[in-house]
Amino acid sequence: MSDESAAAFVPGHVTGFFSAHPAERAAAAGSRGAGLTLTDGVEVRVDPNGSGTTLNGEPAAIEAVETVLAELGVDGGTGDGADGDPGGEVGVAATTDLPVGAGFGVSGAAALGTALAANEAFDCGRSENELVRIAHVAEVAAGTGLGDVVAQARGGVPIRLEPGAPGYGELDGVPASARIEYVTFGELSTAEVLAGDTTALTEAGERALTALRRTPILPALMAASRTFAREAGLLVPEVAEAIEAVEEAGGEAAMAMLGRTVFALGTGLSDAGYDPAVCHTHAAGARLVDDEK
Amino acid sequence: MSDESAAAFVPGHVTGFFSAHPAERAAAAGSRGAGLTLTDGVEVRVDPNGSGTTLNGEPAAIEAVETVLAELGVDGGTGDGADGDPGGEVGVAATTDLPVGAGFGVSGAAALGTALAANEAFDCGRSENELVRIAHVAEVAAGTGLGDVVAQARGGVPIRLEPGAPGYGELDGVPASARIEYVTFGELSTAEVLAGDTTALTEAGERALTALRRTPILPALMAASRTFAREAGLLVPEVAEAIEAVEEAGGEAAMAMLGRTVFALGTGLSDAGYDPAVCHTHAAGARLVDDEK
């Protein structure tokens, strides 16, 4: 290993609509749907000489991050000497301005950022597809997300045509770039929603995907997302109110799946009198951060 | 149509090694191989009220660009009134600092940039995969390239696992980011090389791909590319000399396919006493340029 730390940046991702597609193999499981990747994201630094995982400086247990480290064989292990296990520690420091648990894909970003940065810091020699697969599988196994990782790896405005990691899934994109505003009213448990009956949700998600594929432009994505949130029964009152206020002010807004979060194009939320966070769609997708630059 | 102009940026792309894979359908044709996308690239502005195609301000005939406009149905046509043809003109202005015809994928970038910008300016409503396919097919039909377009759409350090446009091809990537230097000694005709016997070239390209997939890191890409250039019989004397000089100075360099061009990691060419252009691997791939920002 290089013994030097390495860092990766992974964009946030808000899903506008989705359908859930479980599968025997976690790499083949995932979701169809569409959303936006955001310039607000998660930076993950992996330090071979560090110790433990932190989120914004506080010790944190992120299951998908631990799984990624184990899969890459750099988790230090128990130090019992088995298969050359040195029993060392690894430091993973994730920092983000995004709200956690509010539908921005922070856990997926932490997993993918860990995969990219650990591969670099420990000279694991994996390809990008392999790292995305490892992070996707870890996220699916943890039950914290189904489609964020592949979207975050791609960047832009990803359309998930087929579920799963590279080799299984298939992506397209809406060719667009936009200022994005968002407000968050609190958390919504992804695991809880996904553990329930997802039949109606998945039917609504498939209809939304068909509509977007017919017209792959941003306003169509927002409209399909609003219809999905209503049909899937996921709208919460404060989110519904904000979406309506944005529409009355002439803008386009939708609910982030899954969080009590509203995102809007351009100045949609500001125009409606909210005090939103402001970012932009992210062109690049997840990438290593250049320490030399 | 929106009647407003739109612009796209497409990174340059140097191919280190490749194998050629013709096919009945142009969308399925292409190349396997690997290379680097570059922050030096081509900006393309499409103006619905403009007239004709220019490259760096000079009138230029770029066959792939014309094909893309025709495929999108925005080429103005002959004005004979057939199928509602208004006979209007379209302005396509491509600007780049990259040398033309020297292995940087300028024609592919012009085609892809035209597709993205024209889709935006004329509200064509195509998805990103569709636009990449249109540009790839136009480039293959023009005989000016086989793999630049799909690599430029992706960004980073693309590995072309399977040839062809989205839906046919398959991509992976080397998870790396680096400063890149390059010098160019002149043009090499892509069309001429591809029109000749490509059997030895393709065998060398397949061997290089196998080697890189085993170890997907930048130095392995450079080494595989050097071996390929030698085995495919494409090395020209001034390029061979520069690559050797970089290696003697402790660096990593290779030849851009297809041009009299050498590219090196980090400060490879400077260290060897050359006066190179300097850029960086490009994280994002082709994208619309935000006029509002």
Side-chain angles (χ1 to χ4, degrees):
Chain A
M1 71 192 189
S2 67
D3 248 19
E4 281 180 27
S5 75
F9 174 82
V10 183
H13 178 244
V14 284
T15 286
F17 62 84
F18 72 102
S19 53
H21 301 274
E24 194 84 11
R25 290 174 66 93
S31 56
R32 291 198 181 90
L36 310 169
T37 63
L38 305 177
T39 49
D40 282 2
V42 180
E43 181 162 322
V44 181
R45 179 166 292 277
V46 170
D47 183 354
N49 303 309
S51 169
T53 299
T54 59
L55 179 59
N56 290 335
E58 300 290 326
I62 309 177
E63 185 183 330
V65 166
E66 303 308 320
T67 309
V68 165
L69 294 174
E71 181 64 29
L72 287 173
V74 301
D75 56 342
T78 57
D80 60 1
D83 50 32
D85 176 357
E89 290 269 5
V90 186
V92 176
T95 49
T96 183
D97 291 331
L98 289 170
V100 176
F104 292 93
V106 170
S107 61
L112 181 53
T114 299
L116 283 163
N119 179 69
E120 179 75 6
F122 287 94
D123 293 336
C124 298
R126 305 297 183 103
S127 76
E128 288 190 338
N129 285 0
E130 290 175 290
L131 296 171
V132 174
R133 181 184 54 74
I134 287 169
H136 174 80
V137 166
E139 170 86 333
V140 168
T144 41
L146 287 171
D148 287 325
V149 169
V150 296
Q152 287 164 326
R154 184 189 187 282
V157 183
I159 306 174
R160 283 138 32 224
L161 300 176
E162 296 297 340
Y168 297 92
E170 200 186 325
L171 295 167
D172 196 349
V174 174
S177 165
R179 172 190 156 111
I180 303 295
E181 296 186 343
Y182 61 84
V183 292
T184 293
F185 304 103
E187 302 190 12
L188 206 65
S189 165
T190 299
E192 225 163 82
V193 172
L194 296 181
D197 179 3
T198 55
T199 311
L201 180 157
T202 285
E203 284 174 9
E206 298 281 5
R207 279 194 298 274
L209 183 57
T210 301
L212 179 62
R213 293 190 71 172
R214 217 158 26 219
T215 316
I217 60 175
L218 276 188
L221 191 160
M222 303 302 278
S225 299
R226 285 192 298 269
T227 304
F228 169 79
R230 208 172 43 236
E231 292 182 354
L234 290 167
L235 264 182
V236 292
E238 63 271 43
V239 167
E241 192 183 313
I243 291 174
E244 203 170 308
V246 170
E247 287 199 277
E248 275 169 19
E252 291 273 4
M255 175 177 170
M257 301 295 155
L258 292 160
R260 295 176 188 275
T261 294
V262 181
F263 61 98
L265 303 182
T267 54
L269 280 158
S270 310
D271 292 347
Y274 286 84
D275 182 26
V278 177
C279 62
H280 204 274
T281 52
H282 189 259
R287 60 176 200 280
L288 289 169
V289 172
D290 241 335
D291 285 327
E292 32 175 324
K293 274 186 85 182
Chain B
M1 71 192 189
S2 68
D3 249 18
E4 282 180 26
S5 74
F9 175 82
V10 184
H13 177 245
V14 284
T15 286
F17 62 83
F18 71 103
S19 54
H21 301 274
E24 194 84 10
R25 290 173 65 94
S31 56
R32 292 196 180 91
L36 310 169
T37 63
L38 305 177
T39 49
D40 282 1
V42 180
E43 180 161 323
V44 181
R45 180 166 290 278
V46 170
D47 183 354
N49 303 309
S51 168
T53 299
T54 60
L55 180 59
N56 289 336
E58 301 289 327
I62 309 176
E63 185 183 330
V65 167
E66 302 309 319
T67 310
V68 165
L69 294 174
E71 182 63 30
L72 287 174
V74 300
D75 56 342
T78 57
D80 61 1
D83 50 32
D85 175 357
E89 291 270 4
V90 185
V92 176
T95 49
T96 183
D97 291 331
L98 289 169
V100 176
F104 292 94
V106 170
S107 59
L112 182 53
T114 299
L116 284 163
N119 179 69
E120 179 75 7
F122 288 94
D123 293 335
C124 298
R126 306 295 184 103
S127 76
E128 287 189 338
N129 285 1
E130 290 175 291
L131 296 171
V132 173
R133 181 184 54 75
I134 287 169
H136 174 80
V137 166
E139 171 86 333
V140 168
T144 41
L146 286 171
D148 287 324
V149 168
V150 295
Q152 288 164 325
R154 184 188 187 282
V157 183
I159 307 175
R160 283 141 28 228
L161 300 176
E162 297 296 341
Y168 297 91
E170 201 185 324
L171 296 167
D172 196 349
V174 175
S177 166
R179 172 190 157 111
I180 303 296
E181 296 186 342
Y182 61 85
V183 291
T184 293
F185 304 104
E187 302 190 14
L188 206 64
S189 166
T190 299
E192 227 164 78
V193 171
L194 295 182
D197 180 2
T198 56
T199 312
L201 179 157
T202 284
E203 283 173 11
E206 298 281 5
R207 280 194 297 273
L209 183 58
T210 302
L212 178 61
R213 292 189 72 172
R214 218 159 24 220
T215 316
I217 61 176
L218 275 187
L221 190 160
M222 303 301 278
S225 300
R226 285 193 298 269
T227 304
F228 168 80
R230 210 171 44 237
E231 292 182 352
L234 291 167
L235 263 183
V236 293
E238 63 270 44
V239 167
E241 194 183 312
I243 290 174
E244 205 170 307
V246 170
E247 286 198 279
E248 275 169 20
E252 291 273 4
M255 176 177 169
M257 301 296 156
L258 290 159
R260 296 176 187 276
T261 295
V262 181
F263 62 98
L265 303 183
T267 54
L269 281 158
S270 311
D271 292 347
Y274 287 84
D275 182 24
V278 177
C279 62
H280 204 275
T281 51
H282 190 259
R287 61 175 198 280
L288 288 171
V289 172
D290 242 334
D291 286 327
E292 40 181 311
K293 272 185 88 180

